[in-house]
Amino acid sequence: MVSVAVLGAAGGIGQPLSLLLMLTPGISRLSLYDIVNMPGVAADISHINSNVSVEHHAGAAQLRRALQGIDIVVIPAGVPRKPGMTRDDLFSVNASIVRELTEAVADTCPRALIAIIANPVNSTVPIAAEVLKSRHVYDPRRLFGVTTLDSVRASRFVRDLRPETDAAELHIPIVGGHSGNTIVPLLSMATPRLELTPAEAEGLVQRIQYGGDEVVKAKEGRGSATLSMAHAAARFTNSLVVAFKGTLTVELALVPLAADPGGAQQIRRFGAGQLEYFAVPVELGQAGVQRIVALPTEPNTLERKGIEIAASVLRENIDKGVSYITGTK
Amino acid sequence: MFATRNAVKLGARSFSTGATLQSKVAVLGAAGGIGQPLSLLLKANPRVTELGLYDIHNTPGVAADVGHINTLSTVTGYTAKDDGLKKALTGAELVVIPAGVPRKPGMTRDDLFNTNAGIVRDLAKACAETCPEAKLLIISNPVNSTVPIATEVFKKANVYDAKRIFGVTSLDLVRASRFVGEKTGSVGEVPVVGGHAGVTIIPLFSQVPGLQLSDAERDALTHRVQFGGDEVVKAKDGAGSATLSMAYAGARFADSLLRAAAGEDVLEWAFVRTDLFKKEGLEFFSTYVKLDKNGVKEVLPLPSNISAYEQELVQKAIPELKKSEAKGVSFVAGN
């Protein structure tokens, strides 16, 4: 019996995400929350003949009710980018949304696993952590920034380059953060192994880092990735569900490195340094992060450089998120 | 009695790409409320090798988005520019048509006729020209009329084959199964026949093994299935009609056709050309159909043991279906 809440269920990502979660075996209850349009989306989704029960809750007054008894909270709420914007430009609006929603989670279902989609993830994850800390319910193993779309894109883009690749079987560790040059694909560690010229590797890294911009541009002001983001988030949520039910699963996610201080040593050595949050491969279990999964080899020189650049940008993003809540650096 | 429906596979993480069957699916109206989530589900289906997304605008954005999903298929978005419709349809094995406007509260599906009839006629013409052998899956309402419209268009172009045009009624089946499941705790198949609007929707509860319903329960459930669409239109309060559940149902039916094309024995329900009610002057009816790679392999009659109540529903549906059919046929004749 796994209960999942979607906060922002009527939005561009929330709607197709709710559809996919309705079709995810293992979920028994879906609680859909948004500030508008809720009865409509829930009525629509509730007609699908899966074994998932659906509730809807609309407006801030019902937020805590939406979170009663919830095991997993997914947060796509917030505004998307327009062409020319970075994810950081969304900060002021989305920071306040994530704070409000996390306060409700802290008050109502503090043991829930929390998956944050709302951008800028590099800052909204620290924001959520600070809220949870201030309410004395923080567990670094239970908080995730969803970076799955970067993995999905990486394997897709490799396939565009090498059509004979089976994208579903290709795994590329991606570390760092979830925006532009904080996204560090470790192509040298791909399995199965990739043979790429330096130019191809560079082109791929660029494309993976700015895949989001590709969609924002193509949508011409009408939004950012919604359908592919729903797909990626559903995949990650499914992994959380499977793990919650007792099967260990590995996914990439932006996590507090305090979730596994011992396991975090390796990525710190590779360039994450003293950062409190970093995207790494994690093994998921019933209580969230079981451990950080070690990378198979050392990053090559270019990748090392990429990690350093990512770390310096992440330092700023994390500080911005933390000080939004604490008022200090 | 019938195999449990598998949910459309997602993500295809563990699915090998040994498939050599090329299956292009075109979606006409891909940027709309149904079209977008439908495109997402089709992208996730490992049986689809190519997706052609067409709409009057916004399709390049939808294609860029959906195209990032790491499943087998390639995706291209087209608008009317540069022969986009033709390109979207070229080589298509299936054409799914959700294009058109949705209902507002208080409207029947027939109220959409004036707008959607022309849209379906024009899209059907393009299909007749570019991919006459593709299977057409018509979602655009009112289905009871738009299927006859597409049929007349294909006849005029001399490419008509009754095996290949379907009105998608799957959402009624999904709803019936859901509503019964909410009562009994188990979600199994409930056959639904007739048409795709109000009283033309006929759920056959008599065919669900072990299902016991009082008359009052049967009436209430029948009504709920018949007006399930209205339930959603009302809840959306002017913002539209069923999109996500319709996308699911459309993707489910498309998957049935793809499985049939791959050699599986598939039994479905869809609004098709049939002589079952020829005596009554009806050319189309939603009934049990066996599918194969050509589309309809065999149209089956209604089970002989449907209840007296259900027989009455069939009788009530027939005049409504005839009216809608005639409206569709004469629209093409006059336009």
Side-chain angles (χ1 to χ4, degrees):
Chain A
M1 290 282 300
V2 182
S3 299
V4 178
V6 180
L7 309 184
I13 296 170
Q15 289 199 40
L17 173 58
S18 300
L19 166 62
L20 294 178
L21 292 179
M22 194 65 184
L23 301 173
T24 300
I27 296 179
S28 52
R29 177 184 152 223
L30 254 191
S31 174
L32 305 180
Y33 170 83
D34 211 321
I35 53 179
V36 287
N37 292 336
M38 236 18 265
V41 173
D44 188 353
I45 294 252
S46 74
H47 284 182
I48 292 172
N49 60 337
S50 64
N51 287 311
V52 185
S53 70
V54 180
E55 320 153 359
H56 71 270
H57 307 276
Q62 299 195 355
L63 175 53
R64 279 157 179 76
R65 230 180 61 188
L67 291 167
Q68 291 290 342
I70 292 294
D71 303 309
I72 298 172
V73 181
V74 189
I75 308 183
V79 297
R81 292 192 277 166
K82 290 199 183 301
M85 288 172 86
T86 63
R87 287 181 181 86
D88 196 59
D89 291 331
L90 304 175
F91 187 90
S92 37
V93 178
N94 290 355
S96 134
I97 292 172
V98 170
R99 176 183 54 197
E100 182 200 336
L101 296 176
T102 310
E103 281 167 357
V105 172
D107 290 346
T108 320
C109 53
R111 308 271 297 152
L113 304 177
I114 306 171
I116 300 186
I117 297 169
N119 273 311
V121 166
N122 295 353
S123 300
T124 55
V125 169
I127 285 172
E130 291 303 317
V131 168
L132 296 166
K133 284 178 195 172
S134 73
R135 303 216 168 182
H136 311 290
V137 293
Y138 181 53
D139 181 346
R141 297 169 305 162
R142 292 178 192 266
L143 179 61
F144 306 87
V146 182
T147 61
T148 319
L149 186 48
D150 301 323
S151 297
V152 169
R153 284 178 176 143
S155 64
R156 178 76 213 184
F157 298 160
V158 166
R159 192 172 183 278
D160 285 348
L161 200 56
R162 296 271 191 279
E164 69 281 5
T165 314
D166 183 341
E169 294 302 315
L170 179 64
H171 298 287
I172 301 169
I174 303 183
V175 299
H178 184 57
S179 67
N181 61 1
T182 66
I183 300 172
V184 188
L186 302 176
L187 297 173
S188 71
M189 300 186 202
T191 51
R193 217 186 133 59
L194 286 175
E195 300 296 342
L196 299 165
T197 67
E200 285 173 331
E202 194 186 319
L204 264 176
V205 168
Q206 265 287 106
R207 201 175 171 206
I208 294 165
Q209 290 182 334
Y210 297 98
D213 294 63
E214 216 171 278
V215 180
V216 170
K217 187 158 167 234
K219 287 201 174 187
E220 285 179 338
R222 264 172 219 89
S224 58
T226 48
L227 303 173
S228 50
M229 183 66 239
H231 169 90
R235 187 184 111 175
F236 184 72
T237 307
N238 181 61
S239 291
L240 287 178
V241 170
V242 162
F244 187 85
K245 295 179 90 150
T247 305
L248 296 176
T249 308
V250 175
E251 280 281 3
L252 290 172
L254 193 148
V255 296
L257 293 183
D260 177 8
Q265 289 309 310
Q266 188 202 43
I267 197 70
R268 291 191 183 286
R269 240 187 19 252
F270 289 161
Q274 295 310 305
L275 290 180
E276 301 83 358
Y277 305 88
F278 214 74
V280 282
V282 292
E283 187 178 70
L284 300 168
Q286 286 184 302
V289 174
Q290 199 72 346
R291 62 185 183 96
I292 293 173
V293 177
L295 296 169
T297 55
E298 299 247 342
N300 64 30
T301 316
L302 237 70
E303 289 164 348
R304 197 59 203 256
K305 189 102 215 332
I307 295 177
E308 278 161 27
I309 292 171
S312 71
V313 177
L314 271 163
R315 176 75 274 154
E316 282 173 30
N317 297 155
I318 292 169
D319 288 346
K320 191 171 178 178
V322 171
S323 70
Y324 178 78
I325 298 296
T326 65
T328 59
K329 187 194 173 303
Chain B
M1 193 195 275
F2 305 110
T4 311
R5 181 72 47 192
N6 291 317
V8 175
K9 289 204 172 75
L10 305 171
R13 281 196 90 177
S14 56
F15 192 83
S16 87
T17 56
T20 47
L21 210 60
Q22 293 301 302
S23 291
K24 176 174 176 178
V25 178
V27 181
L28 308 185
I34 297 171
Q36 289 202 41
L38 174 61
S39 299
L40 167 62
L41 292 176
L42 290 171
K43 184 73 182 79
N45 189 329
R47 291 188 182 88
V48 178
T49 56
E50 190 185 341
L51 264 183
L53 306 182
Y54 173 82
D55 210 320
I56 52 178
H57 45 221
N58 299 335
T59 8
V62 175
D65 187 353
V66 158
H68 280 181
I69 293 171
N70 58 341
T71 50
L72 178 64
S73 45
T74 55
V75 190
T76 315
Y78 302 95
T79 58
K81 248 172 46 165
D82 298 330
D83 266 342
L85 180 50
K86 185 166 177 188
K87 289 174 182 162
L89 291 172
T90 303
E93 179 178 325
L94 300 186
V95 181
V96 193
I97 309 183
V101 298
R103 292 192 276 167
K104 290 203 182 298
M107 288 173 88
T108 63
R109 286 181 180 86
D110 193 61
D111 290 331
L112 304 175
F113 186 92
N114 294 336
T115 314
N116 290 354
I119 292 174
V120 172
R121 177 206 49 208
D122 294 344
L123 294 176
K125 268 191 193 154
C127 294
E129 272 167 33
T130 309
C131 53
E133 295 186 8
K135 272 79 87 183
L136 257 58
L137 285 66
I138 300 179
I139 293 174
S140 312
N141 275 311
V143 166
N144 294 352
S145 298
T146 54
V147 169
I149 286 173
T151 299
E152 289 304 304
V153 167
F154 269 59
K155 281 183 187 171
K156 267 187 174 178
N158 289 314
V159 290
Y160 179 57
D161 185 334
K163 297 197 298 292
R164 296 197 279 251
I165 299 186
F166 301 86
V168 180
T169 60
S170 307
L171 185 47
D172 302 320
L173 290 125
V174 166
R175 285 181 175 138
S177 160
R178 176 80 193 190
F179 300 159
V180 166
E182 279 172 2
K183 255 203 139 27
T184 65
S186 103
V187 176
E189 288 290 4
V190 178
V192 180
V193 300
H196 187 57
V199 302
T200 67
I201 297 172
I202 304 162
L204 300 180
F205 298 124
S206 63
Q207 302 304 302
V208 181
L211 180 62
Q212 308 273 33
L213 296 171
S214 69
D215 283 1
E217 287 173 326
R218 172 204 64 192
D219 290 352
L221 268 174
T222 299
H223 191 264
R224 200 175 172 208
V225 173
Q226 290 182 333
F227 296 97
D230 294 65
E231 211 174 284
V232 180
V233 171
K234 187 161 169 231
K236 288 201 174 188
D237 204 22
S241 59
T243 48
L244 304 170
S245 50
M246 183 65 240
Y248 167 68
R252 190 187 110 149
F253 189 70
D255 187 57
S256 288
L257 281 166
L258 291 172
R259 285 188 296 119
E264 265 183 60
D265 268 334
V266 179
L267 176 71
E268 263 284 11
W269 296 266
F271 190 71
V272 293
R273 169 79 190 81
T274 171
D275 283 342
L276 282 184
F277 293 94
K278 189 172 176 168
K279 269 191 350 298
E280 287 86 342
L282 217 47
E283 301 242 312
F284 299 89
F285 201 82
S286 177
T287 180
Y288 295 56
V289 285
K290 287 192 180 166
L291 303 175
D292 67 11
K293 65 174 164 42
N294 299 315
V296 176
K297 178 173 164 179
E298 196 185 340
V299 176
L300 302 176
L302 302 185
S304 52
N305 63 343
I306 65 174
S307 66
Y309 177 78
E310 288 159 356
Q311 299 217 28
E312 219 187 291
L313 293 177
V314 172
Q315 291 310 310
K316 286 204 188 113
I318 288 174
E320 290 301 316
L321 286 167
K322 279 173 75 170
K323 261 198 336 231
S324 302
E325 208 176 277
K327 195 168 174 179
V329 171
S330 67
F331 175 80
V332 177
N335 289 276

